[in-house]
Structures are given as structure tokens and as C-alpha cells.
Amino acid sequence: MKTLLVTGGAGFIGSNFIKMLLENEQWRIVNLDALTYAGNLETLQDIDDPRYVFVKGDIRDRETVESVFATYDVTRVIHFAAESHVDRSIVEPDVFLTTNVLGTQVLLDAAKRHWNLRPDDKHSRDYSEGVKFVHVSTDEVYGTLGPDGLFTETTPLAPNSPYSASKASSDLIVRAYHETYGLPVNITRCSNNYGPYQFPEKLIPLMIQRAERGETLPVYGDGQQIRDWLHVKDHCVAIWTVAERGRDGDVYNIGGNNEQANVTIVRLILELLGKDDSQITFVTDRPGHDRRYAIDNTKITTELGWRPAYTFDQGLRETVDWYVTHPDWIDHIVSGDYAHYYDKMYAKG
Ligand code: NAD
Ligand code: DAU
């Protein structure tokens, strides 16, 4: 059986991805995750499958990464692991650079060494059949849009936050490993995801949780910033489609043509919870706040035949319902209990 390395599989998108793949494909999956504040093993506790292996480790640690490649004979990587929250990057940029940029380079090096047929020859561009490194990036690398236009794969990179700058840097090092060493790679750039198991620091789960508790709902600035929302399961299918059929070295934008203003989303959540707008509070804007993101998905839809399955109406309804019916998952995060899960489950002795 072939082995897939998923990095950051205890996070929001990675965990949804692992569950999807175990259901639909015959791969062994090694989940390498450092379990930062954003990694939560409770999300994966219902997996009971010998094809799934969890390794606690940091992508910046060469020894760990090398050992994972050697031990499990990894032939494909889906690289999710990252610091992912823009607001945190404004306060604490350093870890965004070390994890998102340097961590990515450590993984690329290991992939190159294990997959190249003559690893000691700097001119060798021959790799084992079928290997692939998929780098999961973001539409934020393109910066911000005015009222019109869409991000295409050739839109110049113009990141505005330390988070998006670190992701753009990682995209460039992935590209360089393809151009210089011929490493088979793809880069995906997706718009905002929503769905189950998202850490409640991000807009949608934060607002659901605070609305339910009767707390204020902090909308940044005028709330008219636009994001292009996609259900996480649609994103996961798109990533696997690229992994299977993407052209080596290519970038694929992923998005579902679903632009919404932030305050509209907050109002929709309140409506679904049967509440009025009185909890909404407009607060000081995020520094460097990008005004609008919108993805042109022509390439992935026409070349690879991917299309989103969820409508926003159905996806948001199901998502609100999921958070309402999984109060323990949220409560453990808020209380910090989730962070002790690893010690409880994996403690020796
Ligand atoms: P997340 O913050 O929920 O999860 C990140 C995971 O990476 C966590 O499990 C964390 O423990 C792990 N991690 C962090 N640093 C690590 C390190 N040094 N070594 C090993 N593991 C580490 O993030 P997410 O929302 O699931 O995003 C996953 C990826 O998708 C990121 O690369 C992000 O840039 C990208 N992305 C996210 C969105 C979105 O809307 N959430 C959209 C487009 C792209
Ligand atoms: O576009 C893809 C990106 O989407 C991913 O690369 C990032 O990892 C992911 O975090 C997300 O970034 P955003 O900054 O767009 O997501 P966030 O949920 O933090 O915010 C969405 C919008 O809502 C943004 O315009 C800021 C606003 N916002 C957010 C929070 C947390 C508020 O108005 N109030 C809030 O409290």
C-alpha cells in the first residue's frame, strides 16, 4: 500500500482531509503534527483504522522529518502544517516564518532526497515514478482586490500580512525546488474555508460560539470586507484532485464563486440561531486588512473537472448545526482541556 504523509493533520482542514481519504482511498496515512494550540487530536479520536498513523513532531525538525520519510516510505505529501491565523501573525510574526517558510523547506529537502533516483547528483531530475509534493497555500498571497476582478493563477503575489507573506515565501521555495531540482510539486491556493472542526478563533466558529453564549460579536471596521467562502469538504476533494491529476509544477486556484461580506455572514449566523442583530459590535479594524478576495476557478474546473458540491446555504446551515450539536468539542478548546488529550492517549506506561 502506498504511503501519504499529511502534515498538520490535527488541524481544521487536515483532519477533514484525513477522514475523507480513509473513507474513499486505499492509502496508508501518516499524520505528522506538532500539536500547537491549533492541533487537536480529539478531532481524530473516532478513527479506528490500521492504515492511519499519528506522529507527533515538528516540520522544522530535520531528524524527525527524515525519519518519517525513511520509516514509512512516503511517496506523496499533502502539506497543510502552518501557522494559519492572520491576527496572530500581526502580534507574533516570528513563528510564521520559521514554520511556514523554513518548515516547508525541510519537507522539500526530505522529499527530494528520498524521491530522487540519484540524490547526490545536483543535476539529477529523475524521481521515483508517481511521487508528488502538494503544497496547500492560500488566496491571501495575492493581496487584496478592489470591487472588481478575480485572482487568477498568474496574478502577481502581493501579500499584506506576516501570515500571507510567509505563505507567499513558502510558495516561492516550493516553486524553486521544482524549477531547480525538477521535484514534482503542485501549489494550491484556496479561498476561506468553513465547516466542522475549525478552531474558534476564525470568523465563523467564533461568531457561532459567541452568539450562542450571548456575547458581543466583534466585527472589524465596517464589516464590508469580502471573502470567498468554500466548504472544507469541497476544498479537500479539490486538493486530492490536484494530487492525482495536477500537472507537475502547476499552481491551481480553488474557490466556489461565493463572495460574502463579513457582516452578512454574521447576520446569517444570527438568523440561523434564531437571534436578532443586537450582539453585533463594530470594533477597530485589523491592521493591513485586505478588503476583498475572490477566486477565478476556471483552471481547476476546466482542466481537472473539479466543482464544489455544497451551496453556501446548505453548508452554513450544516456548519451552524454542527457547532450547536458539538458543544464539548468547543468547550474543551475554550477550557484548554483539548491540549491534554495527547498526554492522556499517548502517555507511556
Ligand atoms: P490550522 O491552524 O487549523 O491547523 C494547522 C495544523 O498545523 C495544526 O494541527 C498544527 O498543530 C499544525 N502545525 C503548526 N505548526 C506546525 C509545525 N511546526 N510542525 C508540525 N505541525 C504544525 O490550519 P488550517 O485552517 O487547517 O489550514 C491548513 C493549511 O491550509 C494551512 O497551510 C493554511 O495556510 C491553508 N489554508 C487555510 C485556509 C482556511 O480558510 N483555513 C484557506 C486556504 C489555505
Ligand atoms: O483566504 C484564505 C485564508 O482565510 C486562510 O489562508 C487563513 O488561514 C484563514 O485564517 C482565513 O484568513 P482570514 O483572515 O480571511 O480569516 P478570519 O476568519 O480570521 O477572518 C475572516 C474575515 O472576518 C476577515 O475579513 C476578518 C474578519 N473578522 C475576523 C475575526 C476573527 C472579523 O470581522 N472579526 C473577527 O473577530
Side-chain angles (χ1 to χ4, degrees):
M1 191 179 296
K2 291 179 287 186
T3 301
L4 173 71
L5 170 61
V6 172
T7 68
F12 166 47
I13 307 175
S15 60
N16 276 284
F17 180 84
I18 288 172
K19 290 177 182 187
M20 176 195 84
L21 218 72
L22 286 172
E23 241 176 71
N24 299 313
E25 305 287 337
Q26 283 308 317
W27 283 72
R28 173 166 66 170
I29 300 178
V30 179
N31 174 12
L32 174 64
D33 197 300
L35 299 182
T36 68
Y37 80 93
N40 185 356
L41 283 183
E42 276 188 39
T43 303
L44 298 159
Q45 67 185 346
D46 52 351
I47 297 178
D48 179 17
D49 191 320
R51 293 173 301 154
Y52 171 72
V53 180
F54 176 71
V55 177
K56 184 174 188 292
D58 195 311
I59 57 166
R60 294 167 291 187
D61 177 358
R62 278 183 192 275
E63 225 174 280
T64 300
V65 170
E66 284 291 334
S67 136
V68 165
F69 270 81
T71 308
Y72 297 103
D73 191 20
V74 170
T75 56
R76 188 178 282 181
V77 176
I78 310 285
H79 175 33
F80 293 99
E83 290 292 335
S84 69
H85 191 37
V86 174
D87 289 330
R88 285 180 190 256
S89 81
I90 293 166
V91 180
E92 196 186 356
D94 303 31
V95 67
F96 284 74
L97 295 179
T98 59
T99 286
N100 298 2
V101 188
L102 300 179
T104 299
Q105 193 259 339
V106 169
L107 289 164
L108 288 165
D109 253 357
K112 172 174 160 287
R113 196 172 2 266
H114 285 269
W115 296 345
N116 195 293
L117 298 175
R118 292 185 306 284
D120 295 330
D121 174 0
K122 73 176 179 200
H123 296 292
S124 168
R125 300 172 73 86
D126 295 330
Y127 289 85
S128 306
E129 186 67 28
V131 295
K132 171 77 67 87
F133 187 103
V134 179
H135 176 59
V136 180
S137 190
T138 167
D139 61 354
E140 299 203 11
V141 299
Y142 298 121
T144 188
L145 290 165
D148 307 312
L150 302 170
F151 295 135
T152 71
E153 286 80 359
T154 55
T155 300
L157 304 189
N160 291 316
S161 71
Y163 162 67
S164 52
S166 69
K167 291 297 288 187
S169 308
S170 63
D171 288 16
L172 294 179
I173 195 69
V174 173
R175 178 191 145 89
Y177 269 66
H178 176 71
E179 295 296 325
T180 304
Y181 308 115
L183 187 72
V185 304
N186 285 120
I187 296 171
T188 61
R189 295 189 180 135
C190 188
S191 57
N192 285 62
N193 283 213
Y194 69 99
Y197 302 113
Q198 187 168 30
F199 198 87
E201 63 187 350
K202 308 282 167 63
L203 182 75
I204 290 181
L206 181 84
M207 295 299 169
I208 297 171
Q209 177 216 335
R210 292 183 66 89
E212 273 199 289
R213 294 173 177 213
E215 296 166 353
T216 55
L217 307 183
V219 174
Y220 298 161
D222 63 3
Q224 293 304 322
Q225 301 82 7
I226 288 176
R227 297 291 182 266
D228 188 352
W229 294 91
L230 184 73
H231 195 280
V232 62
K233 290 185 178 163
D234 283 327
H235 186 192
C236 292
V237 173
I239 290 168
W240 193 245
T241 305
V242 171
E244 290 278 79
R245 301 206 301 278
R247 217 177 313 135
D248 277 356
D250 270 21
V251 175
Y252 291 88
N253 281 355
I254 303 170
N257 301 321
N258 176 40
E259 292 182 51
Q260 307 281 346
N262 291 340
V263 72
T264 307
I265 301 256
V266 178
R267 292 204 171 104
L268 283 170
I269 290 170
L270 286 165
E271 204 180 300
L272 286 166
L273 290 170
K275 291 177 165 258
D276 65 30
D277 288 2
S278 57
Q279 284 168 261
I280 294 179
T281 314
F282 291 91
V283 300
T284 308
D285 209 352
R286 172 187 277 176
H289 199 173
D290 288 334
R291 192 70 181 166
R292 175 173 167 256
Y293 302 147
I295 283 279
D296 181 341
N297 67 9
T298 308
K299 182 172 175 181
I300 190 167
T301 53
T302 57
E303 286 187 17
L304 303 184
W306 170 85
R307 269 188 181 66
Y310 277 87
T311 61
F312 189 56
D313 186 46
Q314 179 204 355
L316 189 65
R317 194 174 291 276
E318 282 183 22
T319 300
V320 170
D321 193 51
W322 188 88
Y323 285 98
V324 169
T325 53
H326 291 76
D328 287 356
W329 189 86
I330 290 274
D331 286 349
H332 291 172
I333 285 177
V334 175
S335 69
D337 274 359
Y338 79 104
H340 307 303
Y341 184 83
Y342 176 81
D343 299 331
K344 272 189 275 165
M345 289 304 289
Y346 293 82
K348 291 201 176 71

